[in-house]
Amino acid sequence: MQTKANGKVSNLVKGETGDWEIVVGMEVHAQVNSKAKLFSGASTAFGAEPNSHVSLVDAAMPGMLPVINEECIAQAVRTGLGLKAQINLKSVFDRKNYFYPDLPQGYQISQYKQPIVGEGEILIEVDGESMTVGIERLHLEQDAGKSIHDQSPDSSYVDLNRSGVALMEIVSKPDMRSAKQAQAYVSKLRTILRYLDTCDGDMEKGNLRADVNVSVRKPGAPLGTRCEIKNVNSIRFIGQAIEVEARRQIGIIEDGGTIDQETRLFDAARGVTRSMRSKEEAHDYRYFPDPDLLPLEMTQDYVDAFKAKLPELPDEKLARFTKVFGLSPYDAAVLVAEKEAANYFEQVAKGRDGKLAANWVNNELFGRLNKEGLDIEHSPMTAAQLGGIVDLIASGTISGKIAKDLFEIVWAEGGDPAEIVETRGMKQVTDTGAIETAVDAIIAANPDKVAQVQAKPSMIGWFVGQVMKQSGGKANPQAVNDALKKKLGV
Amino acid sequence: MSDVTRLTLADAREGLKKKQFSATELTQAFVKAIEAGNAALNAYVLPTPERALKQAAASDARLAKGTAGPLEGLPLGIKDLFCTAGVRTTACSNVLGEFTPTYESTVTQNLFDAGAVMLGKLNNDEFAMGSSNETSRFGPVVNPWRRKAASGALSNTNLVPGGSSGGSSAAVAADLCLGATATDTGGSIRQPAALTGTVGIKPTYGRCSRWGIVAFASSLDQAGPIAKTVRDAAVLLGTMASYDPKDSTSVDTPVPDYEAALGRSIKGLRVGVPKEYRVNGMSPEIDDLWQRGIAWLKAAGATVHDISLPHTKYALPAYYIVAPAECSSNLARYDGVRYGLRVPGEDLIDTYERTRAAGFGKEVRRRVLIGTYVLSAGYYDAYYLKAQKVRTLIKKDFDDAWSKVDVVLTPTTPSPAFGFGEKAGDPIAMYLEDIFTVTVNMAGLPGISVPGGLSGQGTPLGLQLIGKPFDEATLFSAAQVIEDAAGHFHVDNSWWVGAKG
């Protein structure tokens, strides 16, 4: 839905009545990386037998009381710092009251009026242009359990393993104007969380999920009525959901209708959004401060200690990669998207040509990993091995073409690249005597081609190819070229 | 051996130490007393004699070995609001069904760790909501005290034992235990103590752990003992109180030796008498009681000062917003899904509705509805938020008072024990039972009720002392002075023995 006008990217969407602007805000639920739940000592491990990670508190047994898990607080503070956000030294946990079988207490403990983290920002880049998306707030809350409806014809089951697991709800400002921007926002947020190690960002497991608020308006008009699309669980679906929802809203308005504020679900199989509940059906959550928990108070020193130990974040790393290694912003951005990839690259680039290293990591390695469906942590080739290949190229020991063959061998068989080059005779031939002998032989065998090249000097390429073929690709192409030019007089 | 059930807890402790009787003998005496008297009084909803005798035997072994704890072998009753591992706990509500916890509340664990013996679970108003113990699923508790005509003839009219800890107060007053645990959200320890001639203390909020106590209103609930004497109350609270990391509102401050405070001189103690407690229509006998209390403290060297607690009149209305609001949320977990009662319905919502309609009694339903209402969108600011502001002002009233006085003296209740049904039909009349006690919960302060005399009809009346936060020791010192002056009040006719329920 993006058009280019006057060379500038426009995010406006064409409708029957003219251009429309999409406005997107996001509420991302990120599961906190912690061993234990937000208010109980039960484990947060994924994939256990149903109801095996449930404490008395999680099951809301009579007389049970929540006690804050300090590690979850620390993770929220780290995340807030990573989002360059205001850390609120005093915050309050509230009860959000509603009935559902997977909510044992009959209320979710969340933060309503006084969240632990206030306003912050995230820098994103779309189509080569940078923009800032504002963060409204981050608060901590309990996850609910899971209702299972497909195991019995007449009953539903409840698994409380997730009940009470800590979530960070990260709310953006309605600063995004396209599906692409929204996708870039979630990707960048995910990257930051993974750098901070405060959320694993695993969307498949539901450890990161997004509620997407979409509205449309004529450019310059006030904000339109928004619909909230709940629980979108992949970056691709976020893009699709925004596009179809914006189209739906534009269609309604252009047909003379109005948008109802409501909660909708994205049906990925059918590529539509469906109404879940309207504003009238919305719950009255009867928020009030949880009397079982005192207000959470932290000192500035406590926060500053986390600030001092914050790891290098993607924006800083990108700046360093372009400055120290001379990488293009694009190459650097690809590398810093995943902390593990950036670390891998740094090992390859250490003491070597950074640009050459980036090329090999970004093109050969990532291309091959993608093809095999592997992530960088499961790469069969270590950074030391790829570094060895880069060394052999840089020293002129092998040609770029041989390097690709070598890459395949190391990928498939492992081993030390230098040793492989040695034992398999893959070294580049720069011995001019040997090259000249080969050149002489080709010239002698092809008098017709020699005649043709006099008329058309670009024919020299054919001779180069023949010599290279005969050398098994090991001849130094520059030396072959020089010798041919001299002998053929072109 | 004379009737050991008549002993105070402190005297029974002495008797065990001196081997005048064994823990087993002591426990057996109570088991028999319960067998004989509980049908008429209905104080226990679940006597646990076998468990009690087992605990007593273990106590005897420890007494013999010299490893006895501070409460070794002393038989107590436990309010059914305290979760007791392996023993049915219902808060006297149908909604909990036959719920049997796998865990022990911190307060009862403290008692058992000290060697105490549990005789059984005691009756209370459903979820501790009530002031007469008439809302229990197990039926009402009967006050051992009866009115006396001028001729001295005992009336046959059953009186309420107060509430919500009516089982605790009746059991202590009738010698069916040496002491009992209780809880107090708006007066539920002090009011029943006053109506039964017993001593009850609600400690400072945060002094006893709430972990494992069925919650009514989290910001107001506190556990405390009901006992025969001030000394017994001091002994019991000393063991019940502790810092508990499992309760975020528990306060990490050492528990003093309360018993050591008994007999301490109160010379120079500044006693405040708040004019706002002199409510309209206060009966002359309550006023007389109050004046007697003032005179006793003065005689012991205290100075008495008129003080003002100007926001007192707002305390009860604010309490009846805050407490129901918290209860509406705290009781949401009783939904028929995981434990307790489930009444299956057509669908989920129907199941919730049937379960909660059948599970909760009328008073509980009333409070859940009030609480849901005051927290609703559009009403929150006008009710809940305003009530919390009132609460802050009530706290401030006391903070201001503490610059002038050390304790505050008031009557515990506006009237002596009343008959069944006299107030049950009128919620406001029932709520007014708490008029002198709720301020203490709203401010989170300690308050003790100690018997001060008998009404014209021969039923007990209580005086309340309110103290500074965590200054329970001073309350015990002053309460001891009142007790010494007023004397003990014991029912002189054990009409319930062998009587039918």
Side-chain angles (χ1 to χ4, degrees):
Chain A
M1 275 210 231
Q2 219 171 40
T3 54
K4 273 197 173 191
N6 308 324
K8 198 181 178 312
V9 176
S10 159
N11 291 314
L12 298 182
V13 181
K14 283 244 173 297
E16 308 257 320
T17 59
D19 287 344
W20 291 86
E21 184 175 52
I22 306 177
V23 177
V24 180
M26 302 263 241
E27 288 163 26
V28 170
H29 289 90
Q31 181 178 323
V32 174
N33 268 357
S34 66
K35 287 195 182 72
K37 295 180 179 181
L38 183 51
F39 297 112
S40 83
S43 165
T44 58
F46 180 81
E49 281 293 299
N51 295 313
S52 59
H53 292 332
V54 185
S55 75
L56 296 166
V57 175
D58 306 323
M61 301 306 276
M64 291 300 102
L65 299 170
V67 177
I68 293 174
N69 175 354
E70 193 181 337
E71 179 54 18
C72 296
I73 302 300
Q75 293 289 54
V77 171
R78 286 187 192 106
T79 306
L81 292 169
L83 300 176
K84 300 178 179 64
Q86 165 76 36
I87 306 298
N88 295 326
L89 296 181
K90 184 183 174 188
S91 64
V92 172
F93 284 96
D94 298 279
R95 291 185 183 178
K96 179 180 179 178
N97 296 282
Y98 67 95
F99 285 93
Y100 206 66
D102 60 21
L103 189 75
Q105 294 167 137
Y107 54 84
Q108 175 195 37
I109 306 177
S110 180
Q111 295 188 298
Y112 183 49
K113 285 188 178 157
Q114 297 185 68
I116 186 165
V117 176
E119 292 189 331
E121 61 182 43
I122 288 184
L123 191 69
I124 63 167
E125 186 152 327
V126 178
D127 297 319
E129 283 185 38
S130 297
M131 65 175 282
T132 300
V133 177
I135 300 292
E136 179 72 37
R137 58 184 279 164
L138 175 155
H139 69 250
L140 282 165
E141 62 184 28
Q142 297 176 300
D143 204 350
K146 202 169 125 193
S147 293
I148 302 160
H149 303 293
D150 58 2
Q151 300 289 307
S152 155
D154 54 4
S155 304
S156 288
Y157 295 112
V158 177
D159 176 8
L160 295 180
N161 282 353
R162 281 191 92 108
S163 167
V165 166
L167 301 178
M168 295 181 282
E169 181 172 325
I170 303 162
V171 183
S172 85
K173 298 197 169 175
D175 286 351
M176 290 154 279
R177 296 291 175 265
S178 70
K180 263 193 178 178
Q181 288 178 2
Q183 289 176 306
Y185 167 77
V186 176
S187 301
K188 185 63 175 285
L189 176 57
R190 182 176 175 275
T191 299
I192 293 171
L193 295 173
R194 286 174 53 83
Y195 267 63
L196 293 165
D197 204 19
T198 57
C199 169
D200 68 13
D202 192 329
M203 297 186 82
E204 270 176 42
K205 286 182 188 155
N207 295 352
L208 188 83
R209 44 194 201 259
D211 298 341
V212 191
N213 286 295
V214 180
S215 65
V216 297
R217 65 176 173 186
K218 291 282 176 141
L223 287 173
T225 304
R226 65 188 158 82
C227 289
E228 182 183 18
I229 311 166
K230 274 269 177 213
N231 265 329
V232 191
N233 62 2
S234 84
I235 289 177
R236 192 160 61 94
F237 289 163
I238 288 170
Q240 290 174 5
I242 292 170
E243 303 228 335
V244 300
E245 177 59 18
R247 276 282 163 219
R248 185 188 74 86
Q249 293 184 14
I250 291 168
I252 289 172
I253 299 170
E254 292 193 328
D255 287 345
T258 51
I259 303 302
D260 295 328
Q261 187 177 332
E262 59 183 0
T263 306
R264 300 181 69 83
L265 279 177
F266 178 60
D267 181 339
R270 291 168 52 211
V272 295
T273 64
R274 277 187 285 112
S275 179
M276 204 173 134
R277 59 173 180 260
S278 69
K279 196 184 174 189
E280 288 71 42
E281 297 168 90
H283 298 291
D284 180 352
Y285 290 119
R286 292 172 280 125
Y287 281 100
F288 76 108
D290 191 328
D292 287 332
L293 293 161
L294 301 170
L296 175 65
E297 288 178 24
M298 302 179 284
T299 62
Q300 190 60 48
D301 286 351
Y302 180 79
V303 174
D304 289 345
F306 290 117
K307 203 169 193 171
K309 280 192 244 160
L310 222 53
E312 184 184 39
L313 290 168
D315 291 343
E316 298 151 25
K317 204 180 276 287
L318 188 141
R320 183 167 60 85
F321 281 7
T322 52
K323 193 164 161 243
V324 174
F325 297 113
L327 305 189
S328 70
Y330 175 82
D331 277 346
V334 172
L335 287 168
V336 303
E338 293 286 347
K339 184 173 65 178
E340 292 74 16
N343 289 345
Y344 188 103
F345 160 74
E346 283 211 67
Q347 287 177 53
V348 176
K350 196 177 176 191
R352 303 190 176 100
D353 178 347
K355 276 182 170 173
L356 188 58
N359 280 343
W360 277 85
V361 172
N362 274 351
N363 301 328
E364 297 308 320
L365 181 71
F366 285 177
R368 192 55 195 263
L369 288 170
N370 277 343
K371 203 169 129 191
E372 309 270 333
L374 292 172
D375 55 36
I376 189 95
E377 285 137 290
H378 298 98
S379 169
M381 189 180 295
T382 65
Q385 286 172 318
L386 187 55
I389 295 174
V390 170
D391 281 341
L392 293 165
I393 301 166
S395 64
T397 310
I398 56 171
S399 66
K401 186 177 177 305
I402 291 290
K404 288 188 184 184
D405 296 340
L406 178 60
F407 182 95
E408 289 303 320
I409 294 167
V410 176
W411 179 278
E413 301 168 23
D416 173 29
E419 213 175 285
I420 293 168
V421 165
E422 193 65 49
T423 56
R424 304 199 189 182
M426 294 169 78
K427 273 189 178 171
Q428 186 159 254
V429 178
T430 43
D431 175 356
T432 43
I435 289 171
E436 279 184 26
T437 310
V439 166
D440 288 342
I442 297 291
I443 290 175
N446 298 285
D448 50 333
K449 296 278 196 252
V450 172
Q452 285 168 14
V453 81
Q454 303 304 323
K456 195 183 170 197
S458 65
M459 272 285 295
I460 196 165
W462 181 86
F463 287 94
V464 175
Q466 292 301 308
V467 177
M468 292 305 290
K469 198 170 158 188
Q470 211 177 53
S471 75
K474 285 181 283 180
N476 182 324
Q478 194 55 47
V480 172
N481 213 38
D482 291 349
L484 278 166
K485 274 184 177 167
K486 201 173 79 189
K487 302 264 178 187
L488 292 168
V490 294
Chain B
M1 191 170 66
S2 63
D3 186 359
V4 287
T5 66
R6 291 290 297 263
L7 295 173
T8 66
L9 178 125
D11 288 342
R13 185 179 56 179
E14 268 318 287
L16 285 171
K17 204 179 281 171
K18 291 182 178 154
K19 308 213 185 303
Q20 289 166 348
F21 43 81
S22 68
T24 302
E25 284 164 343
L26 184 62
T27 301
Q28 251 156 358
F30 281 104
V31 167
K32 278 196 188 123
I34 293 165
E35 276 171 11
N38 198 51
L41 296 178
N42 199 27
Y44 282 88
V45 296
L46 183 68
T48 54
E50 284 174 22
R51 180 191 154 113
L53 289 167
K54 224 185 238 174
Q55 280 182 314
S59 285
D60 280 328
R62 283 191 293 270
L63 284 160
K65 261 200 300 185
T67 58
L71 298 180
E72 199 66 64
L74 300 174
L76 306 177
I78 304 297
K79 187 178 183 180
D80 204 28
L81 223 60
F82 291 80
C83 288
T84 39
V87 178
R88 188 191 67 190
T89 301
T90 68
C92 295
S93 175
N94 278 318
V95 87
L96 271 148
E98 293 300 301
F99 176 69
T100 303
T102 57
Y103 48 94
E104 190 70 45
S105 84
T106 300
V107 165
T108 45
Q109 189 66 56
N110 287 346
L111 291 171
F112 300 145
D113 287 349
V117 169
M118 178 174 87
L119 291 166
K121 301 301 288 285
L122 292 165
N123 210 336
N124 51 252
D125 277 300
E126 183 181 7
F127 282 108
M129 297 178 199
S131 304
S132 64
N133 215 125
E134 288 171 282
T135 70
S136 165
R137 108 186 208 199
F138 301 103
V141 177
V142 177
N143 194 331
W145 289 82
R146 284 181 163 175
R147 290 176 182 141
K148 251 183 205 165
S151 64
L154 207 60
S155 156
N156 285 329
T157 306
N158 281 337
L159 300 178
V160 304
S164 66
S165 309
S168 306
S169 66
V172 173
D175 298 317
L176 301 188
C177 59
L178 287 173
T181 67
T183 62
D184 189 319
T185 306
S188 282
I189 290 175
R190 292 158 290 159
Q191 185 256 10
L195 268 47
T196 54
T198 54
V199 177
I201 180 164
K202 179 204 91 76
T204 312
Y205 186 77
R207 179 71 287 178
C208 286
S209 169
R210 293 183 296 113
W211 193 89
I213 301 174
V214 175
F216 161 16
S218 310
S219 73
L220 301 159
D221 295 345
Q222 260 298 294
I226 289 182
K228 296 185 183 187
T229 64
V230 173
R231 178 174 297 275
D232 289 0
V235 171
L236 287 170
L237 182 63
T239 297
M240 291 168 73
S242 66
Y243 165 64
D244 184 1
K246 290 187 288 187
D247 173 1
S248 308
T249 62
S250 161
V251 177
D252 190 2
T253 179
V255 181
D257 181 354
Y258 296 129
E259 216 178 340
L262 303 172
R264 209 175 269 165
S265 164
I266 61 159
K267 201 163 186 319
L269 184 78
R270 298 170 305 166
V271 179
V273 177
K275 62 176 186 206
E276 289 80 6
Y277 282 60
R278 194 168 303 278
V279 292
N280 278 342
M282 180 185 270
S283 74
E285 66 184 13
I286 296 292
D287 198 22
D288 287 350
L289 165 82
W290 201 359
Q291 296 311 321
R292 278 202 302 276
I294 291 168
W296 290 328
L297 293 174
K298 258 189 192 164
T303 57
V304 175
H305 309 264
D306 287 328
I307 58 162
S308 173
L309 299 167
H311 296 93
T312 299
K313 64 178 171 214
Y314 304 116
L316 196 64
Y319 171 84
Y320 274 99
I321 289 170
V322 173
E326 293 182 9
C327 104
S328 72
S329 178
N330 281 337
L331 269 54
R333 66 187 57 198
Y334 307 108
D335 58 3
V337 173
R338 296 169 313 287
Y339 49 78
L341 181 74
R342 179 192 296 176
V343 183
E346 306 266 307
D347 54 22
L348 178 64
I349 301 290
D350 194 37
T351 301
Y352 282 154
E353 288 175 353
R354 286 170 190 256
T355 301
R356 289 169 66 83
F360 292 144
K362 206 167 143 190
E363 182 59 27
V364 172
R365 289 204 297 269
R366 177 172 13 247
R367 297 198 195 192
V368 168
L369 287 173
I370 293 171
T372 304
Y373 178 80
V374 299
L375 287 176
S376 297
Y379 297 100
Y380 178 85
D381 289 0
Y383 292 109
Y384 189 76
L385 206 59
K386 187 154 276 182
Q388 290 292 18
K389 284 179 185 162
V390 168
R391 197 170 175 181
T392 307
L393 292 171
I394 291 167
K395 259 184 211 154
K396 197 181 161 292
D397 281 356
F398 278 104
D399 286 344
D400 293 345
W402 300 138
S403 65
K404 301 182 197 88
V405 298
D406 304 307
V407 296
V408 170
L409 179 74
T410 76
T412 308
T413 59
S415 56
F418 45 93
F420 288 115
E422 279 179 22
K423 298 189 181 183
D426 181 355
I428 301 295
M430 191 68 89
Y431 295 172
L432 283 168
E433 273 296 300
D434 295 335
I435 191 148
F436 299 141
T437 47
V438 282
T439 46
V440 177
N441 301 78
M442 293 292 267
L445 299 170
I448 189 167
S449 177
V450 58
L454 297 178
S455 71
Q457 293 179 307
T459 52
L461 298 171
L463 280 164
Q464 173 179 239
L465 283 159
I466 304 167
K468 296 176 189 171
F470 296 99
D471 194 14
E472 284 83 358
T474 299
L475 291 188
F476 285 123
S477 301
Q480 184 67 62
V481 169
I482 293 176
E483 186 181 73
D484 290 345
H488 289 280
F489 299 90
H490 197 277
V491 197
D492 55 10
N493 180 320
S494 302
W495 58 266
W496 59 87
V497 177
K500 288 204 170 74

